[in-house]
Amino acid sequence: MDYEHSDRRLGDGLPTGIKILIAGGFGVGKTTLVGAVSETPPLRTEEVLTETGVGIDDLSGVEQKSTTTVAMDFGRITISDELVLYLFGTPGQDRFWFVWDELALGALGAVVLADTRRLADCFPSIDYFEGRGTPFIVAVNCFDGTQRYALHEVQQALNLDADVPVVLCDARQKESAKEVLITLLEHAMKLRESRN
């Protein structure tokens, strides 16, 4: 099914499904966000970090991280009787990027999670979605004890177009994660309307 072009309910009253990607660098909170907002127990492909990743996985700022996503995270949230979001969390390390093209097929848009301690880690995600023409927003995950920056400062640091929304979030909190998804949906719909 091509979720990108699903503009109406499916036959027999089934809701329209929309595919959303949750992307960003290693350790930014993608698995946490999917788990916080999913109405079903999320599917996770987490594996324990091993010595094999030493020198490959940069744990700066996330030294306590002990697992990593190796394929995807998957969750679901029902917005209304007519609309269900399917959330696909992407792996954060470069060596798992071969999965991205498959995950991105048919996606309405993407949330790029950012950590201001490691802001450069979200550049590959931004470049990927810009290159594909996929609507995206940036959600700054506000980790405890991190310095806060104004949204325009983050937008400028990431060299984003002025129309790309940047929001603050706490990936652990369901309501915060919902607000991020609503912002993405509104942005994607606005872009779709401007193209028609």
Side-chain angles (χ1 to χ4, degrees):
M1 166 188 272
D2 186 354
Y3 294 100
E4 186 174 20
H5 300 293
S6 296
D7 292 327
R8 65 193 190 305
R9 287 174 64 90
L10 301 175
D12 298 329
L14 296 175
T16 297
I18 294 180
K19 184 178 188 180
I20 303 286
L21 296 183
I22 310 298
F26 175 64
V28 77
K30 300 177 295 293
T31 299
T32 301
L33 188 141
V34 171
V37 77
S38 181
E39 64 196 16
T40 60
L43 167 69
R44 294 187 171 132
T45 59
E46 293 266 298
E47 292 295 333
V48 175
L49 290 170
T50 65
E51 290 183 21
T52 305
V54 173
I56 298 171
D57 298 328
D58 180 7
L59 296 175
S60 304
V62 290
E63 290 83 3
Q64 302 305 312
K65 187 165 177 57
S66 61
T67 62
T68 188
T69 300
V70 295
M72 68 174 184
D73 298 311
F74 175 78
R76 182 187 78 207
I77 181 169
T78 301
I79 302 298
S80 68
D81 289 343
E82 293 83 27
L83 183 63
V84 176
L85 300 183
Y86 296 102
L87 309 176
F88 291 80
T90 64
Q93 295 117 305
D94 294 350
R95 67 182 185 271
F96 298 123
W97 271 56
F98 65 91
V99 176
W100 280 51
D101 288 338
E102 291 298 321
L103 291 178
L105 285 175
L108 177 76
V111 172
V112 176
L113 276 179
D115 177 352
T116 57
R117 299 170 299 180
R118 300 160 27 127
L119 201 56
D121 289 359
C122 65
F123 278 120
S125 299
I126 290 169
D127 291 345
Y128 182 84
F129 296 121
E130 284 179 341
R132 289 181 66 92
T134 302
F136 70 94
I137 68 166
V138 173
V140 179
N141 194 3
C142 298
F143 288 90
D144 294 336
T146 59
Q147 182 175 344
R148 308 284 187 205
Y149 294 90
L151 295 178
H152 75 274
E153 291 177 300
V154 174
Q155 189 158 34
Q156 186 176 23
L158 293 174
N159 196 29
L160 297 171
D161 290 338
D163 66 337
V164 176
V166 178
V167 297
L168 299 177
C169 76
D170 183 337
R172 301 169 296 184
Q173 302 297 320
K174 184 174 189 167
E175 290 306 313
S176 183
K178 279 185 181 178
E179 286 300 316
V180 167
L181 297 174
I182 289 167
T183 301
L184 173 62
L185 287 173
E186 290 172 346
H187 177 60
M189 296 313 252
K190 180 179 171 185
L191 287 178
R192 179 178 277 190
E193 288 169 10
S194 71
R195 292 173 185 160
N196 291 338

